């Protein structure tokens, strides 16, 4: 390749001028083009697709280097007016790297196209099939995406800490498309591809109908509903999001987890932080999984210390008069079989999101417990501690908090002595609690975050057995960057704070066990983290508690309570102390997928509930 500076009048020096080149020489074998900022002449390409702001061309001289994309985007709103797919054209232009945010990757594109000439028309335009081997069209390549690692800059763990150690835009690593998912998709940037055997990974990602999918290729983390579950160091880089169709049609907005879609033909392009496929036309739903809802849990409380059922459910900004009350009640009564104790999170105050200084949630919780009594005949009681106004995060004015619902014929608080929003709880000799219930706090660790609600209970069957519960809702992942973004490893928003919260929560529990190694303890709720990531590893080590997913032997792919982006994932967990753990069997714990499986109109919360049958008898 030859470069020569071009000098024009007034002494101005233009960007370097590249003579006749190929698409692969523009895209290069790294993330950033080796010709970024250069102008070129006589680029030849086959028009494979047209969009509202430009078109895509494929090289007519492909190489066999699987690192170099053979297609590129030509950005110009008028270039396609007199061109059609199947045209082979030549053009001059410039090479530009574009991104709309410094958290995203750059998109290599051709800009300022000029001297556009049609060489021939009516040429065949064929997509390359993902998941298969191709030869000839774009060279000899295996088009099966990697299934575990995103980038070589993640040091083997996309969830590794510290985050944001390096940036792709600064390192500009050479692509290894057989090893890393991001490298694979980058090596196909601008390419016309076909996805066969399309499976939807949940509801649409946004109001535009963008939809995460995978196709007929090898995947990891496959769950029984057809989704892909996050596991240790693996967040499914083999998936891709279906963006806006190029013909102006609209993607379906009623997709559900595991739906089968028609085959998709479209362009691979990096958009808004993710590699996407821009379909030539919108896919349609072929079929959905059945049954529409999971079977109700087989776990049922007998109300005795050796068989108490306990559930955890983030009921998502729950307010008085909430239209979702019938759904939530049905989930608790039917699908969870009316547990003895329910840990609930995201209970808003009596005025909901109205920011008026009200913090009491007695009306909110009364609405729920009264509806439960009407449905089940059980006069559920509730207990919570009001937060300081607007001090615990969440929707402004909502004052979300953790609370317990409980069956008063099964359990009761042991020597109740409720704390206030500013009372710091402590473990006293016994062990017992300074405030029951009370909040675990350690300013500023829980600033603008929910404080864990700890309580001590006793059963009502014969000799009273006591147990402790800790209801958790740690800091959210707000502020995270895309898994396919520039910072590597990606920024896991709030992880430092969750680490601190793990220390405080775990240490409180450890104090109870230091006094009584046989204490029955259950910690549950929305931890906003995955079990294999540092905050929960730290919590488990400090607290001495055990993960019920592991104890029960629940298959790893079925450990999910939430769908976000391309994967099913588990933010909600339940941990127990050793005296409880030794009685846990395979059928004693499950996540009930009443929300992750359904369409938008049937969603009660963005989380699934979890339920367990536990033995808390005093040893």
């Amino acid at each position: 390749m030859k470069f020569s500076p071009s000098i024009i009048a007034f002494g101005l020096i233009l960007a370097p001028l590249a003579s006749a080149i190929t698409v692969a020489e523009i895209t290069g074998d790294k993330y950033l083009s080796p010709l970024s900022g250069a102008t070129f002449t006589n680029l030849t390409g086959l028009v494979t697709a047209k969009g509202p702001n430009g078109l895509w061309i494929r090289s007519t001289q492909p190489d066999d280097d699987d690192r170099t994309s053979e297609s590129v985007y030509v950005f110009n709103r008028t270039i396609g007016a007199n061109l059609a797919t199947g045209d082979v054209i030549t053009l001059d232009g410039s090479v530009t790297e574009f991104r709309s945010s410094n958290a995203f990757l750059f998109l290599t594109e051709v800009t300022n196209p000029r001297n556009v000439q049609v060489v021939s028309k009516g040429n065949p335009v064929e997509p390359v099939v993902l998941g298969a081997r191709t030869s000839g069209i774009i060279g000899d390549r295996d088009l099966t995406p990697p299934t575990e690692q995103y980038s070589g800059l993640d040091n083997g763990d996309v969830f590794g800490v510290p985050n944001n150690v390096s940036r792709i835009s600064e390192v500009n690593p050479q692509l290894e498309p057989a090893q890393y998912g991001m490298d694979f998709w980058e090596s196909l940037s601008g390419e016309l591809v076909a996805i066969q055997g399309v499976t939807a990974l949940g509801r649409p990602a946004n109001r535009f109908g963008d939809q995460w999918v995978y196709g007929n290729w090898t995947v990891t983390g496959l769950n029984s509903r057809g989704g892909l579950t996050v596991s240790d160091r693996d967040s499914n880089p083999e998936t891709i999001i279906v963006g806006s169709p190029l013909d102006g049609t609209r993607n379906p907005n009623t997709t559900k987890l595991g739906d089968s879609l028609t085959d998709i033909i479209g362009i691979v392009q990096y958009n808004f932080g993710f590699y996407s496929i821009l379909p030539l036309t919108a896919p349609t739903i072929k079929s959905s999984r059945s049954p529409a809802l999971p079977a109700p849990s087989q776990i049922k409380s007998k109300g005795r210390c050796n068989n108490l059922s306990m559930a955890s459910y983030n009921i998502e900004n729950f307010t008085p008069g909430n239209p979702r009350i019938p759904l939530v009640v049905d989930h608790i009564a039917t699908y969870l079989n009316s547990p003895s104790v329910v840990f609930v999170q995201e209970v808003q105050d009596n005025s909901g999101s109205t920011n008026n200084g009200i913090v009491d949630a007695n009306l909110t919780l009364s609405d729920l417990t009264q509806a439960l009594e009407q449905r089940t005949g059980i006069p559920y009681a509730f207990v919570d501690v009001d937060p300081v106004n607007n001090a615990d995060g969440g929707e402004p004015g909502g004052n979300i908090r953790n609370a317990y619902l409980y069956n008063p014929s099964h359990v009761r608080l042991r020597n109740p002595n409720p704390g206030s929003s500013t009372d710091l709880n402590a473990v006293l000799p016994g062990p017992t609690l300074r405030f029951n219930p009370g909040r675990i706090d350690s300013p500023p660790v829980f600033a603008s975050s929910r404080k864990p609600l700890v309580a001590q209970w006793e059963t009502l069957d014969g000799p009273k057995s006591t147990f402790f519960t800790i209801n958790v809702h740690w800091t959210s992942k707000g502020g995270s960057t895309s898994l396919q973004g520039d910072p590597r490893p990606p920024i896991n928003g709030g992880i430092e704070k969750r680490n601190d919260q793990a220390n405080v929560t775990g240490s409180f529990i450890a104090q109870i066990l230091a006094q009584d190694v046989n204490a029955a303890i259950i910690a549950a709720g929305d931890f906003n983290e995955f079990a294999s990531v540092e905050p929960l590893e730290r919590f488990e080590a400090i607290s001495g508690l055990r993960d019920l997913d592991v104890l029960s032997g629940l298959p790893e792919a079925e450990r999910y309570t939430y769908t976000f982006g391309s994967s099913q994932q588990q933010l909600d967990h339940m941990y127990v102390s050793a005296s409880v753990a030794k009685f846990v069997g395979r059928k004693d714990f499950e996540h009930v997928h009443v929300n992750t499986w359904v369409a938008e109109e049937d969603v009660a919360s963005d989380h699934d509930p979890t339920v367990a049958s536990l033995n808390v008898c005093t040893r």
Side-chain angles (χ1 to χ4, degrees), residues 308 310 340-343 381-384 403-408 410-416 431-433 436-437 453-460 464-471 520-522 616 618:
L308 286 180
M310 300 193 196
S340 299
V341 181
V342 185
F343 301 55
F382 64 83
V383 63
D384 72 321
Y404 295 105
L405 315 180
Y406 63 96
N407 184 335
H410 291 178
V411 300
R412 67 187 177 197
L413 289 171
R414 178 179 174 85
N415 300 323
T432 187
L433 301 173
N436 187 27
L453 183 65
V454 58
Q456 185 177 19
W457 308 83
E458 59 186 15
T459 61
L460 302 183
K464 305 297 187 292
S465 292
T466 66
F467 62 97
F468 296 86
T469 59
I470 298 89
N471 191 342
I521 305 173
I522 303 94
V616 298
T618 299

Side-chain angles (χ1 to χ4, degrees), residues 5-82:
S6 297
I7 303 177
I8 61 174
F10 312 112
L12 296 178
I13 300 178
L14 296 179
L17 177 66
S19 58
I21 57 171
T22 65
V23 171
E25 289 173 319
I26 289 176
T27 57
D29 61 4
K30 299 181 179 182
Y31 281 85
L32 302 178
S33 170
L35 296 179
S36 179
T39 59
F40 61 83
T41 61
N42 200 24
L43 173 67
T44 302
L46 169 70
V47 178
T48 56
K50 294 168 58 177
N53 297 311
L55 52 79
W56 291 265
I57 60 173
R58 176 189 287 160
S59 177
T60 57
Q61 300 172 294
D63 59 25
D64 284 327
D65 188 343
D66 63 0
R67 298 168 299 182
T68 59
S69 176
E70 297 298 333
S71 293
V72 71
Y73 181 49
V74 182
F75 174 71
N76 184 277
R77 291 183 173 87
T78 61
I79 187 175
N82 298 312

Side-chain angles (χ1 to χ4, degrees), residues 12 85 183-184 219 287 342 381 441 563 578 594:
L12 296 178
T85 56
D183 293 11
F184 173 84
V219 296
S287 62
V342 185
D441 198 2
T563 294
V594 288

Side-chain angles (χ1 to χ4, degrees), residues 426-434 456 468 507-521 543 619:
V427 178
L428 303 180
T432 187
L433 301 173
R434 177 183 293 165
Q456 185 177 19
F468 296 86
S507 295
F508 191 98
I509 293 167
Q511 291 176 50
I512 299 173
L513 291 172
Q515 292 194 40
D516 180 4
V517 69
N518 291 316
I521 305 173
S543 69
R619 311 292 178 243

Side-chain angles (χ1 to χ4, degrees), residues 147-165:
T147 59
E148 296 183 18
Q149 298 297 315
Y150 275 76
S151 167
L153 299 184
D154 295 338
N155 297 315
D157 189 359
V158 72
F159 307 119
V161 290
N163 305 157
N164 197 18
V165 174

